[in-house]
Amino acid sequence: MSKVQRVENALSAWNSSRSNAATVKSLLEKGTFFLMDANDEPDMTTYVNSNIFAYLGVENSIIIFILVPDSLDNKAWSEMTNDELDAVKIKSFNADYQVDAVDFLSGATDGPNISVIEALKRHHRWQAMRENFLSEEVNHQDGLFELFEIPYANVKTILTNSNYDGLIFAFGLVPDTDNVSYSGYCADLVAWSLPASGARVLSKPYNVHIPKPPY
């Protein structure tokens, strides 16, 4: 199967699933995070103006994230060059973080746009309130979220720094201050930098709270 067909099938599968509470809950409880690393940056940078769009897809009954540079977002999949398709990254929604991997929370410090405590609050809300949140939001007139808009500046800073192995992205919930949701909360993504082994740097959280639609 070509990458184009794979992406189109996955996006279609999420779109047909996101209004069904039971299906969405089953899909989102199977994973906790996705990863980006230094290998992603060279392919993507040429095509990023300011943001990456992280679309949700479903493949083999598992969530995947399809990362699209903003300059390519309105281009038809079938019209993309091979280099442009290489800039589109497909990420697994992983269920388990290895116990022998870097403990990025042990020495974390506040990030540029979110504190450690606020990031952890958002993650905990997602774990504790996810099912009720999804039960409300699948009924929203505009539907459940289709993608998250990720500011690229902080991502590139980490992916091009040899002191870090990459970024881990996980869901959170943040109170809805714009009154656009049914539940009173909006979905969020928070990224954490992953220090390389032996590097004398601290992990930091980076907020990505721009879901589309906005809840």
Side-chain angles (χ1 to χ4, degrees):
M1 182 187 300
S2 70
K3 187 173 187 177
V4 169
Q5 191 64 58
R6 184 184 176 193
V7 168
E8 289 179 338
N9 289 349
L11 293 174
S12 177
W14 172 251
N15 192 52
S16 64
S17 301
R18 66 191 184 93
S19 61
N20 184 302
T23 300
V24 168
K25 289 174 184 177
S26 175
L27 288 168
L28 287 171
E29 70 183 7
K30 293 178 181 178
T32 56
F33 66 92
F34 71 88
L35 295 168
M36 292 187 72
D37 62 33
N39 294 322
D40 297 317
E41 186 274 332
D43 292 337
M44 300 189 81
T45 290
T46 301
Y47 300 100
V48 176
N49 293 322
S50 57
N51 300 307
I52 305 169
F53 296 105
Y55 285 87
L56 279 83
V58 179
E59 186 175 66
N60 300 320
S61 299
I62 301 292
I63 291 284
I64 60 174
F65 285 85
I66 300 153
L67 308 184
V68 182
D70 52 5
S71 74
L72 302 178
D73 189 53
N74 292 319
K75 189 166 186 176
W77 297 106
S78 59
E79 296 178 359
M80 288 189 187
T81 66
N82 288 335
D83 285 347
E84 288 171 339
L85 285 172
D86 286 343
V88 175
K89 300 299 179 180
I90 299 175
K91 298 295 179 179
S92 300
F93 190 39
N94 299 311
D96 294 300
Y97 186 75
Q98 298 297 317
V99 293
D100 58 353
V102 60
D103 182 0
F104 61 93
L105 294 176
S106 65
T109 189
D110 291 346
N113 59 3
I114 189 171
S115 68
V116 169
I117 189 64
E118 178 60 25
L120 294 176
K121 283 180 181 179
R122 294 184 187 189
H123 292 320
H124 186 66
R125 284 196 199 103
W126 176 260
Q127 293 302 322
M129 301 164 61
R130 177 184 60 214
E131 289 205 9
N132 286 329
F133 167 78
L134 295 171
S135 294
E136 294 284 340
E137 298 306 333
V138 294
N139 298 313
H140 198 287
Q141 61 184 0
D142 293 324
L144 191 64
F145 48 78
E146 295 181 88
L147 67 121
F148 289 83
E149 187 176 337
I150 302 175
Y152 190 63
N154 288 327
V155 170
K156 182 172 182 176
T157 296
I158 296 302
L159 298 188
T160 56
N161 187 332
S162 61
N163 286 315
Y164 295 96
D165 285 337
L167 288 159
I168 181 171
F169 292 79
F171 277 109
L173 284 180
V174 60
D176 172 17
T177 58
D178 295 322
N179 296 317
V180 295
S181 69
Y182 285 1
S183 65
Y185 290 90
C186 295
D188 189 22
L189 280 179
V190 177
W192 295 79
S193 55
L194 301 174
S197 178
R200 295 185 178 182
V201 293
L202 297 176
S203 176
K204 293 181 180 180
Y206 298 89
N207 188 39
V208 184
H209 170 54
I210 320 174
K212 307 287 184 177
Y215 34 79

